[in-house]
Amino acid sequence: MATIDAYAVLGNPIGHSKSPEIHTLFAKQTAQALVYTADLVALDGFQQYVKQFQADGGCGLNITVPFKQEAWAVVDQRNDLAELAGAVNTIMFKNGQLLGFNTDGLGLVKDLIENCHIPLAEQRVLLLGAGGATRGVVLPLFQAGVKSMTIANRTAQKAEALATLFSEYGDVNGVGLDAICGSFDVVINATAAGLNRDVPQIDPTFVKNALCYDMMYGDKPTAFVEWANSHGATRAFDGLGMLVEQAAGAFLIWRGVGAKTEE
Ligand code: ATR
């Protein structure tokens, strides 16, 4: 019996996910036959769900909060970016194996450069937060030519630990939010503060005349975008473009064809 290639995004919560819409548009655009669903997975049920999806003949998965680290642990192989990010957002089932990838960082870089026209080469970047979201983007930012990076986090030790982890890839230092010094061309918010419509408590002069980017997105401007605009940011963008670009990265891995993301 012929069945259609099945993909899904797994998360908890998952109701807000735009991924089914994005992948369905990519499939239409590239004339690929597939189905893509958003599946709510119990917090203790991730591994079981993945096994069942594979047993049912599924082709691939996207992974979102809070399962990216668990996905990293569960796959049989990881590419370099996933390995270093400590998180997997894309799984491909191939010959009975689970292959793990992380397309978040390249998605961010592509959105910054191509859609937001924020140059990264030789730029000084302030990266706010030191969780999984931050960890996934540091290496791609350096690979895009960033000159220096300050990772600043509410819990300073976590920023310091990430700076040590990535020190071989570029000029990076880690500090608490109240100990940031220097000036920055690009300020990226990778904290989860926006979930409560909050912003990381930093001196607003750091966003003045800087290009600002919030990795979160929503139906209305995010708290960080509003805050940055009200404190003199040159421009401020939300993370919808990153979502679309990381999805295109996954689509390319699974289907071998690129999607046109501007649409
Ligand atoms: P994610 O995978 O989204 O990065 P995470 O690993 O839980 O999620 O990390 C959340 C990040 O947002 C952390 O850097 C956290 O700071 P702490 O390490 O001090 O907890 C940061 N964060 C969450 N709420 C914040 C807030 N209100 N202000 C500033 N930083 C916040």
Side-chain angles (χ1 to χ4, degrees), residues 58-97:
C59 297
L61 291 168
N62 279 143
I63 314 300
T64 188
V65 177
F67 298 121
K68 289 184 191 185
Q69 280 88 356
E70 204 174 342
W72 183 92
V74 131
V75 296
D76 300 301
Q77 290 179 46
R78 305 172 198 111
N79 75 345
D80 289 350
L81 283 179
E83 183 66 40
L84 204 56
V88 157
N89 80 328
T90 301
I91 293 176
M92 179 158 86
F93 299 108
K94 197 173 178 188
N95 304 328
Q97 296 265 94

PDB file of all heavy atoms in Angstrom, residues 58-97:
ATOM      1  N   GLY A  58       7.300   6.779   9.643  1.00  0.00           N
ATOM      2  CA  GLY A  58       7.536   8.222   9.512  1.00  0.00           C
ATOM      3  C   GLY A  58       8.924   8.500   8.951  1.00  0.00           C
ATOM      4  O   GLY A  58       9.835   7.677   9.068  1.00  0.00           O
ATOM      5  N   CYS A  59       9.074   9.663   8.317  1.00  0.00           N
ATOM      6  CA  CYS A  59      10.339   9.977   7.627  1.00  0.00           C
ATOM      7  C   CYS A  59      11.247  10.913   8.415  1.00  0.00           C
ATOM      8  O   CYS A  59      12.467  10.839   8.299  1.00  0.00           O
ATOM      9  CB  CYS A  59      10.033  10.619   6.285  1.00  0.00           C
ATOM     10  SG  CYS A  59       9.141   9.532   5.166  1.00  0.00           S
ATOM     11  N   GLY A  60      10.638  11.839   9.169  1.00  0.00           N
ATOM     12  CA  GLY A  60      11.482  12.793   9.867  1.00  0.00           C
ATOM     13  C   GLY A  60      10.703  13.594  10.888  1.00  0.00           C
ATOM     14  O   GLY A  60       9.472  13.659  10.844  1.00  0.00           O
ATOM     15  N   LEU A  61      11.451  14.208  11.815  1.00  0.00           N
ATOM     16  CA  LEU A  61      10.825  14.977  12.892  1.00  0.00           C
ATOM     17  C   LEU A  61      11.551  16.296  13.100  1.00  0.00           C
ATOM     18  O   LEU A  61      12.771  16.363  12.942  1.00  0.00           O
ATOM     19  CB  LEU A  61      10.887  14.191  14.211  1.00  0.00           C
ATOM     20  CG  LEU A  61      10.021  12.942  14.304  1.00  0.00           C
ATOM     21  CD1 LEU A  61      10.418  12.122  15.533  1.00  0.00           C
ATOM     22  CD2 LEU A  61       8.544  13.313  14.366  1.00  0.00           C
ATOM     23  N   ASN A  62      10.783  17.314  13.461  1.00  0.00           N
ATOM     24  CA  ASN A  62      11.353  18.509  14.069  1.00  0.00           C
ATOM     25  C   ASN A  62      11.077  18.403  15.565  1.00  0.00           C
ATOM     26  O   ASN A  62      10.051  17.853  15.984  1.00  0.00           O
ATOM     27  CB  ASN A  62      10.698  19.785  13.540  1.00  0.00           C
ATOM     28  CG  ASN A  62      11.263  20.214  12.197  1.00  0.00           C
ATOM     29  OD1 ASN A  62      10.535  20.698  11.345  1.00  0.00           O
ATOM     30  ND2 ASN A  62      12.561  20.042  12.009  1.00  0.00           N
ATOM     31  N   ILE A  63      11.994  18.978  16.332  1.00  0.00           N
ATOM     32  CA  ILE A  63      11.872  18.904  17.780  1.00  0.00           C
ATOM     33  C   ILE A  63      11.893  20.319  18.320  1.00  0.00           C
ATOM     34  O   ILE A  63      12.749  21.123  17.937  1.00  0.00           O
ATOM     35  CB  ILE A  63      13.075  18.141  18.395  1.00  0.00           C
ATOM     36  CG1 ILE A  63      13.376  16.849  17.621  1.00  0.00           C
ATOM     37  CG2 ILE A  63      12.841  17.887  19.865  1.00  0.00           C
ATOM     38  CD1 ILE A  63      12.272  15.850  17.571  1.00  0.00           C
ATOM     39  N   THR A  64      10.943  20.624  19.209  1.00  0.00           N
ATOM     40  CA  THR A  64      10.978  21.947  19.830  1.00  0.00           C
ATOM     41  C   THR A  64      10.917  21.817  21.345  1.00  0.00           C
ATOM     42  O   THR A  64      11.024  20.705  21.892  1.00  0.00           O
ATOM     43  CB  THR A  64       9.879  22.860  19.220  1.00  0.00           C
ATOM     44  OG1 THR A  64      10.070  24.179  19.706  1.00  0.00           O
ATOM     45  CG2 THR A  64       8.477  22.385  19.526  1.00  0.00           C
ATOM     46  N   VAL A  65      10.794  22.959  22.019  1.00  0.00           N
ATOM     47  CA  VAL A  65      10.822  23.005  23.482  1.00  0.00           C
ATOM     48  C   VAL A  65       9.839  22.001  24.070  1.00  0.00           C
ATOM     49  O   VAL A  65       8.702  21.940  23.586  1.00  0.00           O
ATOM     50  CB  VAL A  65      10.451  24.442  23.948  1.00  0.00           C
ATOM     51  CG1 VAL A  65      10.397  24.535  25.460  1.00  0.00           C
ATOM     52  CG2 VAL A  65      11.462  25.443  23.382  1.00  0.00           C
ATOM     53  N   PRO A  66      10.177  21.192  25.062  1.00  0.00           N
ATOM     54  CA  PRO A  66      11.464  21.171  25.782  1.00  0.00           C
ATOM     55  C   PRO A  66      12.318  19.949  25.432  1.00  0.00           C
ATOM     56  O   PRO A  66      13.107  19.507  26.262  1.00  0.00           O
ATOM     57  CB  PRO A  66      10.984  21.060  27.239  1.00  0.00           C
ATOM     58  CG  PRO A  66       9.803  20.120  27.119  1.00  0.00           C
ATOM     59  CD  PRO A  66       9.170  20.365  25.760  1.00  0.00           C
ATOM     60  N   PHE A  67      12.212  19.440  24.219  1.00  0.00           N
ATOM     61  CA  PHE A  67      12.797  18.120  23.931  1.00  0.00           C
ATOM     62  C   PHE A  67      14.107  18.147  23.142  1.00  0.00           C
ATOM     63  O   PHE A  67      14.608  17.089  22.766  1.00  0.00           O
ATOM     64  CB  PHE A  67      11.778  17.258  23.154  1.00  0.00           C
ATOM     65  CG  PHE A  67      10.501  16.987  23.912  1.00  0.00           C
ATOM     66  CD1 PHE A  67       9.271  17.375  23.386  1.00  0.00           C
ATOM     67  CD2 PHE A  67      10.518  16.342  25.141  1.00  0.00           C
ATOM     68  CE1 PHE A  67       8.086  17.122  24.067  1.00  0.00           C
ATOM     69  CE2 PHE A  67       9.338  16.085  25.829  1.00  0.00           C
ATOM     70  CZ  PHE A  67       8.121  16.474  25.290  1.00  0.00           C
ATOM     71  N   LYS A  68      14.651  19.335  22.841  1.00  0.00           N
ATOM     72  CA  LYS A  68      15.819  19.361  21.951  1.00  0.00           C
ATOM     73  C   LYS A  68      17.042  18.657  22.547  1.00  0.00           C
ATOM     74  O   LYS A  68      17.798  18.018  21.824  1.00  0.00           O
ATOM     75  CB  LYS A  68      16.182  20.802  21.585  1.00  0.00           C
ATOM     76  CG  LYS A  68      15.179  21.459  20.645  1.00  0.00           C
ATOM     77  CD  LYS A  68      15.646  22.844  20.245  1.00  0.00           C
ATOM     78  CE  LYS A  68      14.545  23.600  19.533  1.00  0.00           C
ATOM     79  NZ  LYS A  68      14.977  24.899  19.029  1.00  0.00           N
ATOM     80  N   GLN A  69      17.226  18.779  23.852  1.00  0.00           N
ATOM     81  CA  GLN A  69      18.373  18.108  24.484  1.00  0.00           C
ATOM     82  C   GLN A  69      18.148  16.599  24.524  1.00  0.00           C
ATOM     83  O   GLN A  69      19.073  15.818  24.304  1.00  0.00           O
ATOM     84  CB  GLN A  69      18.615  18.632  25.913  1.00  0.00           C
ATOM     85  CG  GLN A  69      19.367  19.961  25.970  1.00  0.00           C
ATOM     86  CD  GLN A  69      18.446  21.165  25.894  1.00  0.00           C
ATOM     87  OE1 GLN A  69      17.231  21.018  25.720  1.00  0.00           O
ATOM     88  NE2 GLN A  69      18.998  22.359  25.994  1.00  0.00           N
ATOM     89  N   GLU A  70      16.912  16.194  24.795  1.00  0.00           N
ATOM     90  CA  GLU A  70      16.597  14.771  24.837  1.00  0.00           C
ATOM     91  C   GLU A  70      16.776  14.160  23.437  1.00  0.00           C
ATOM     92  O   GLU A  70      17.262  13.028  23.291  1.00  0.00           O
ATOM     93  CB  GLU A  70      15.159  14.569  25.340  1.00  0.00           C
ATOM     94  CG  GLU A  70      14.939  13.210  25.945  1.00  0.00           C
ATOM     95  CD  GLU A  70      13.553  13.048  26.568  1.00  0.00           C
ATOM     96  OE1 GLU A  70      12.885  14.066  26.847  1.00  0.00           O
ATOM     97  OE2 GLU A  70      13.157  11.884  26.767  1.00  0.00           O
ATOM     98  N   ALA A  71      16.401  14.932  22.433  1.00  0.00           N
ATOM     99  CA  ALA A  71      16.581  14.463  21.047  1.00  0.00           C
ATOM    100  C   ALA A  71      18.062  14.265  20.744  1.00  0.00           C
ATOM    101  O   ALA A  71      18.455  13.311  20.059  1.00  0.00           O
ATOM    102  CB  ALA A  71      15.964  15.471  20.075  1.00  0.00           C
ATOM    103  N   TRP A  72      18.874  15.155  21.249  1.00  0.00           N
ATOM    104  CA  TRP A  72      20.330  15.047  21.070  1.00  0.00           C
ATOM    105  C   TRP A  72      20.824  13.713  21.628  1.00  0.00           C
ATOM    106  O   TRP A  72      21.651  13.031  21.024  1.00  0.00           O
ATOM    107  CB  TRP A  72      21.007  16.219  21.801  1.00  0.00           C
ATOM    108  CG  TRP A  72      22.496  16.306  21.659  1.00  0.00           C
ATOM    109  CD1 TRP A  72      23.179  17.002  20.708  1.00  0.00           C
ATOM    110  CD2 TRP A  72      23.480  15.712  22.503  1.00  0.00           C
ATOM    111  NE1 TRP A  72      24.537  16.862  20.911  1.00  0.00           N
ATOM    112  CE2 TRP A  72      24.745  16.083  22.007  1.00  0.00           C
ATOM    113  CE3 TRP A  72      23.422  14.898  23.644  1.00  0.00           C
ATOM    114  CZ2 TRP A  72      25.935  15.668  22.598  1.00  0.00           C
ATOM    115  CZ3 TRP A  72      24.604  14.490  24.230  1.00  0.00           C
ATOM    116  CH2 TRP A  72      25.854  14.874  23.711  1.00  0.00           C
ATOM    117  N   ALA A  73      20.297  13.350  22.799  1.00  0.00           N
ATOM    118  CA  ALA A  73      20.745  12.127  23.465  1.00  0.00           C
ATOM    119  C   ALA A  73      20.238  10.866  22.761  1.00  0.00           C
ATOM    120  O   ALA A  73      20.887   9.817  22.800  1.00  0.00           O
ATOM    121  CB  ALA A  73      20.286  12.143  24.925  1.00  0.00           C
ATOM    122  N   VAL A  74      19.115  10.978  22.087  1.00  0.00           N
ATOM    123  CA  VAL A  74      18.427   9.803  21.561  1.00  0.00           C
ATOM    124  C   VAL A  74      18.926   9.373  20.170  1.00  0.00           C
ATOM    125  O   VAL A  74      18.856   8.209  19.805  1.00  0.00           O
ATOM    126  CB  VAL A  74      16.911  10.133  21.544  1.00  0.00           C
ATOM    127  CG1 VAL A  74      16.228   9.817  20.250  1.00  0.00           C
ATOM    128  CG2 VAL A  74      16.215   9.456  22.701  1.00  0.00           C
ATOM    129  N   VAL A  75      19.473  10.327  19.399  1.00  0.00           N
ATOM    130  CA  VAL A  75      19.840   9.987  18.018  1.00  0.00           C
ATOM    131  C   VAL A  75      21.094   9.116  17.958  1.00  0.00           C
ATOM    132  O   VAL A  75      21.894   9.079  18.901  1.00  0.00           O
ATOM    133  CB  VAL A  75      20.045  11.261  17.152  1.00  0.00           C
ATOM    134  CG1 VAL A  75      18.745  12.028  17.022  1.00  0.00           C
ATOM    135  CG2 VAL A  75      21.154  12.142  17.738  1.00  0.00           C
ATOM    136  N   ASP A  76      21.259   8.397  16.828  1.00  0.00           N
ATOM    137  CA  ASP A  76      22.420   7.519  16.653  1.00  0.00           C
ATOM    138  C   ASP A  76      23.639   8.287  16.161  1.00  0.00           C
ATOM    139  O   ASP A  76      24.771   7.925  16.463  1.00  0.00           O
ATOM    140  CB  ASP A  76      22.081   6.415  15.638  1.00  0.00           C
ATOM    141  CG  ASP A  76      20.914   5.570  16.108  1.00  0.00           C
ATOM    142  OD1 ASP A  76      21.032   4.974  17.199  1.00  0.00           O
ATOM    143  OD2 ASP A  76      19.881   5.527  15.417  1.00  0.00           O
ATOM    144  N   GLN A  77      23.402   9.332  15.376  1.00  0.00           N
ATOM    145  CA  GLN A  77      24.505  10.151  14.852  1.00  0.00           C
ATOM    146  C   GLN A  77      24.089  11.608  14.890  1.00  0.00           C
ATOM    147  O   GLN A  77      22.910  11.913  14.797  1.00  0.00           O
ATOM    148  CB  GLN A  77      24.780   9.799  13.382  1.00  0.00           C
ATOM    149  CG  GLN A  77      25.387   8.455  13.155  1.00  0.00           C
ATOM    150  CD  GLN A  77      25.580   8.230  11.650  1.00  0.00           C
ATOM    151  OE1 GLN A  77      26.065   9.093  10.929  1.00  0.00           O
ATOM    152  NE2 GLN A  77      25.166   7.071  11.186  1.00  0.00           N
ATOM    153  N   ARG A  78      25.080  12.506  14.990  1.00  0.00           N
ATOM    154  CA  ARG A  78      24.793  13.950  14.962  1.00  0.00           C
ATOM    155  C   ARG A  78      25.764  14.624  14.020  1.00  0.00           C
ATOM    156  O   ARG A  78      26.930  14.226  13.954  1.00  0.00           O
ATOM    157  CB  ARG A  78      25.020  14.572  16.341  1.00  0.00           C
ATOM    158  CG  ARG A  78      24.250  13.922  17.451  1.00  0.00           C
ATOM    159  CD  ARG A  78      24.687  14.482  18.811  1.00  0.00           C
ATOM    160  NE  ARG A  78      24.265  13.565  19.854  1.00  0.00           N
ATOM    161  CZ  ARG A  78      25.082  12.831  20.584  1.00  0.00           C
ATOM    162  NH1 ARG A  78      26.395  12.922  20.426  1.00  0.00           N
ATOM    163  NH2 ARG A  78      24.616  12.002  21.488  1.00  0.00           N
ATOM    164  N   ASN A  79      25.300  15.675  13.342  1.00  0.00           N
ATOM    165  CA  ASN A  79      26.262  16.451  12.559  1.00  0.00           C
ATOM    166  C   ASN A  79      27.001  17.403  13.512  1.00  0.00           C
ATOM    167  O   ASN A  79      26.650  17.522  14.693  1.00  0.00           O
ATOM    168  CB  ASN A  79      25.594  17.172  11.373  1.00  0.00           C
ATOM    169  CG  ASN A  79      24.790  18.382  11.768  1.00  0.00           C
ATOM    170  OD1 ASN A  79      24.472  18.583  12.938  1.00  0.00           O
ATOM    171  ND2 ASN A  79      24.459  19.205  10.797  1.00  0.00           N
ATOM    172  N   ASP A  80      28.039  18.082  12.998  1.00  0.00           N
ATOM    173  CA  ASP A  80      28.916  18.872  13.872  1.00  0.00           C
ATOM    174  C   ASP A  80      28.165  19.958  14.630  1.00  0.00           C
ATOM    175  O   ASP A  80      28.403  20.176  15.819  1.00  0.00           O
ATOM    176  CB  ASP A  80      30.031  19.536  13.046  1.00  0.00           C
ATOM    177  CG  ASP A  80      31.027  18.498  12.550  1.00  0.00           C
ATOM    178  OD1 ASP A  80      30.947  17.342  13.005  1.00  0.00           O
ATOM    179  OD2 ASP A  80      31.858  18.856  11.695  1.00  0.00           O
ATOM    180  N   LEU A  81      27.251  20.647  13.926  1.00  0.00           N
ATOM    181  CA  LEU A  81      26.533  21.749  14.578  1.00  0.00           C
ATOM    182  C   LEU A  81      25.655  21.235  15.714  1.00  0.00           C
ATOM    183  O   LEU A  81      25.581  21.844  16.779  1.00  0.00           O
ATOM    184  CB  LEU A  81      25.681  22.516  13.557  1.00  0.00           C
ATOM    185  CG  LEU A  81      26.435  23.485  12.652  1.00  0.00           C
ATOM    186  CD1 LEU A  81      25.478  24.158  11.683  1.00  0.00           C
ATOM    187  CD2 LEU A  81      27.167  24.536  13.485  1.00  0.00           C
ATOM    188  N   ALA A  82      25.001  20.099  15.483  1.00  0.00           N
ATOM    189  CA  ALA A  82      24.153  19.517  16.536  1.00  0.00           C
ATOM    190  C   ALA A  82      25.015  19.059  17.710  1.00  0.00           C
ATOM    191  O   ALA A  82      24.663  19.272  18.875  1.00  0.00           O
ATOM    192  CB  ALA A  82      23.346  18.357  15.979  1.00  0.00           C
ATOM    193  N   GLU A  83      26.141  18.475  17.383  1.00  0.00           N
ATOM    194  CA  GLU A  83      27.041  17.970  18.428  1.00  0.00           C
ATOM    195  C   GLU A  83      27.413  19.093  19.397  1.00  0.00           C
ATOM    196  O   GLU A  83      27.265  18.974  20.605  1.00  0.00           O
ATOM    197  CB  GLU A  83      28.296  17.390  17.753  1.00  0.00           C
ATOM    198  CG  GLU A  83      29.285  16.754  18.701  1.00  0.00           C
ATOM    199  CD  GLU A  83      28.717  15.514  19.372  1.00  0.00           C
ATOM    200  OE1 GLU A  83      28.025  14.742  18.693  1.00  0.00           O
ATOM    201  OE2 GLU A  83      28.966  15.328  20.578  1.00  0.00           O
ATOM    202  N   LEU A  84      27.852  20.208  18.829  1.00  0.00           N
ATOM    203  CA  LEU A  84      28.331  21.310  19.652  1.00  0.00           C
ATOM    204  C   LEU A  84      27.180  22.078  20.308  1.00  0.00           C
ATOM    205  O   LEU A  84      27.319  22.597  21.407  1.00  0.00           O
ATOM    206  CB  LEU A  84      29.166  22.258  18.776  1.00  0.00           C
ATOM    207  CG  LEU A  84      30.178  23.112  19.514  1.00  0.00           C
ATOM    208  CD1 LEU A  84      31.140  22.252  20.325  1.00  0.00           C
ATOM    209  CD2 LEU A  84      30.970  23.941  18.516  1.00  0.00           C
ATOM    210  N   ALA A  85      26.061  22.150  19.629  1.00  0.00           N
ATOM    211  CA  ALA A  85      24.902  22.859  20.186  1.00  0.00           C
ATOM    212  C   ALA A  85      24.337  22.116  21.396  1.00  0.00           C
ATOM    213  O   ALA A  85      23.659  22.704  22.234  1.00  0.00           O
ATOM    214  CB  ALA A  85      23.822  23.030  19.127  1.00  0.00           C
ATOM    215  N   GLY A  86      24.592  20.810  21.482  1.00  0.00           N
ATOM    216  CA  GLY A  86      24.028  20.029  22.578  1.00  0.00           C
ATOM    217  C   GLY A  86      22.525  19.868  22.431  1.00  0.00           C
ATOM    218  O   GLY A  86      21.810  19.566  23.383  1.00  0.00           O
ATOM    219  N   ALA A  87      22.028  20.111  21.218  1.00  0.00           N
ATOM    220  CA  ALA A  87      20.581  20.082  20.976  1.00  0.00           C
ATOM    221  C   ALA A  87      20.320  19.680  19.533  1.00  0.00           C
ATOM    222  O   ALA A  87      21.091  20.050  18.647  1.00  0.00           O
ATOM    223  CB  ALA A  87      19.990  21.469  21.239  1.00  0.00           C
ATOM    224  N   VAL A  88      19.249  18.930  19.327  1.00  0.00           N
ATOM    225  CA  VAL A  88      18.858  18.493  17.984  1.00  0.00           C
ATOM    226  C   VAL A  88      17.453  19.022  17.703  1.00  0.00           C
ATOM    227  O   VAL A  88      16.549  18.829  18.513  1.00  0.00           O
ATOM    228  CB  VAL A  88      18.908  16.942  17.904  1.00  0.00           C
ATOM    229  CG1 VAL A  88      18.027  16.405  16.792  1.00  0.00           C
ATOM    230  CG2 VAL A  88      20.349  16.466  17.719  1.00  0.00           C
ATOM    231  N   ASN A  89      17.285  19.724  16.569  1.00  0.00           N
ATOM    232  CA  ASN A  89      15.932  20.198  16.213  1.00  0.00           C
ATOM    233  C   ASN A  89      15.377  19.464  14.995  1.00  0.00           C
ATOM    234  O   ASN A  89      14.225  19.677  14.631  1.00  0.00           O
ATOM    235  CB  ASN A  89      15.921  21.718  15.987  1.00  0.00           C
ATOM    236  CG  ASN A  89      16.435  22.107  14.617  1.00  0.00           C
ATOM    237  OD1 ASN A  89      17.292  21.439  14.058  1.00  0.00           O
ATOM    238  ND2 ASN A  89      15.913  23.186  14.072  1.00  0.00           N
ATOM    239  N   THR A  90      16.206  18.621  14.363  1.00  0.00           N
ATOM    240  CA  THR A  90      15.763  17.899  13.164  1.00  0.00           C
ATOM    241  C   THR A  90      16.283  16.465  13.212  1.00  0.00           C
ATOM    242  O   THR A  90      17.488  16.257  13.412  1.00  0.00           O
ATOM    243  CB  THR A  90      16.310  18.590  11.889  1.00  0.00           C
ATOM    244  OG1 THR A  90      15.845  19.947  11.865  1.00  0.00           O
ATOM    245  CG2 THR A  90      15.844  17.876  10.632  1.00  0.00           C
ATOM    246  N   ILE A  91      15.373  15.507  13.044  1.00  0.00           N
ATOM    247  CA  ILE A  91      15.771  14.091  12.978  1.00  0.00           C
ATOM    248  C   ILE A  91      15.348  13.549  11.623  1.00  0.00           C
ATOM    249  O   ILE A  91      14.238  13.823  11.148  1.00  0.00           O
ATOM    250  CB  ILE A  91      15.095  13.265  14.094  1.00  0.00           C
ATOM    251  CG1 ILE A  91      15.613  13.690  15.474  1.00  0.00           C
ATOM    252  CG2 ILE A  91      15.334  11.762  13.888  1.00  0.00           C
ATOM    253  CD1 ILE A  91      14.919  12.995  16.649  1.00  0.00           C
ATOM    254  N   MET A  92      16.263  12.807  11.000  1.00  0.00           N
ATOM    255  CA  MET A  92      15.891  12.077   9.780  1.00  0.00           C
ATOM    256  C   MET A  92      16.062  10.588  10.067  1.00  0.00           C
ATOM    257  O   MET A  92      17.073  10.172  10.635  1.00  0.00           O
ATOM    258  CB  MET A  92      16.785  12.499   8.609  1.00  0.00           C
ATOM    259  CG  MET A  92      16.443  11.753   7.335  1.00  0.00           C
ATOM    260  SD  MET A  92      16.986  12.633   5.857  1.00  0.00           S
ATOM    261  CE  MET A  92      18.656  12.065   5.743  1.00  0.00           C
ATOM    262  N   PHE A  93      15.055   9.802   9.670  1.00  0.00           N
ATOM    263  CA  PHE A  93      15.157   8.348   9.818  1.00  0.00           C
ATOM    264  C   PHE A  93      15.765   7.797   8.535  1.00  0.00           C
ATOM    265  O   PHE A  93      15.217   8.010   7.452  1.00  0.00           O
ATOM    266  CB  PHE A  93      13.777   7.731  10.044  1.00  0.00           C
ATOM    267  CG  PHE A  93      13.108   8.240  11.291  1.00  0.00           C
ATOM    268  CD1 PHE A  93      12.021   9.107  11.216  1.00  0.00           C
ATOM    269  CD2 PHE A  93      13.558   7.857  12.548  1.00  0.00           C
ATOM    270  CE1 PHE A  93      11.402   9.583  12.361  1.00  0.00           C
ATOM    271  CE2 PHE A  93      12.939   8.337  13.704  1.00  0.00           C
ATOM    272  CZ  PHE A  93      11.865   9.194  13.611  1.00  0.00           C
ATOM    273  N   LYS A  94      16.881   7.101   8.656  1.00  0.00           N
ATOM    274  CA  LYS A  94      17.528   6.574   7.455  1.00  0.00           C
ATOM    275  C   LYS A  94      18.122   5.205   7.761  1.00  0.00           C
ATOM    276  O   LYS A  94      18.941   5.076   8.687  1.00  0.00           O
ATOM    277  CB  LYS A  94      18.626   7.543   7.003  1.00  0.00           C
ATOM    278  CG  LYS A  94      19.057   7.290   5.578  1.00  0.00           C
ATOM    279  CD  LYS A  94      20.019   8.377   5.108  1.00  0.00           C
ATOM    280  CE  LYS A  94      20.483   8.082   3.700  1.00  0.00           C
ATOM    281  NZ  LYS A  94      21.546   8.988   3.275  1.00  0.00           N
ATOM    282  N   ASN A  95      17.718   4.210   7.008  1.00  0.00           N
ATOM    283  CA  ASN A  95      18.211   2.840   7.183  1.00  0.00           C
ATOM    284  C   ASN A  95      18.146   2.386   8.641  1.00  0.00           C
ATOM    285  O   ASN A  95      19.096   1.807   9.171  1.00  0.00           O
ATOM    286  CB  ASN A  95      19.665   2.724   6.678  1.00  0.00           C
ATOM    287  CG  ASN A  95      19.795   3.163   5.232  1.00  0.00           C
ATOM    288  OD1 ASN A  95      18.863   2.983   4.442  1.00  0.00           O
ATOM    289  ND2 ASN A  95      20.932   3.754   4.881  1.00  0.00           N
ATOM    290  N   GLY A  96      17.039   2.702   9.286  1.00  0.00           N
ATOM    291  CA  GLY A  96      16.849   2.271  10.669  1.00  0.00           C
ATOM    292  C   GLY A  96      17.611   3.097  11.690  1.00  0.00           C
ATOM    293  O   GLY A  96      17.546   2.844  12.889  1.00  0.00           O
ATOM    294  N   GLN A  97      18.350   4.104  11.211  1.00  0.00           N
ATOM    295  CA  GLN A  97      19.136   4.952  12.107  1.00  0.00           C
ATOM    296  C   GLN A  97      18.437   6.293  12.318  1.00  0.00           C
ATOM    297  O   GLN A  97      17.703   6.763  11.424  1.00  0.00           O
ATOM    298  CB  GLN A  97      20.502   5.250  11.473  1.00  0.00           C
ATOM    299  CG  GLN A  97      21.377   4.060  11.267  1.00  0.00           C
ATOM    300  CD  GLN A  97      22.337   3.899  12.445  1.00  0.00           C
ATOM    301  OE1 GLN A  97      22.045   3.163  13.386  1.00  0.00           O
ATOM    302  NE2 GLN A  97      23.452   4.581  12.399  1.00  0.00           N
TER     303      GLN A  97
END
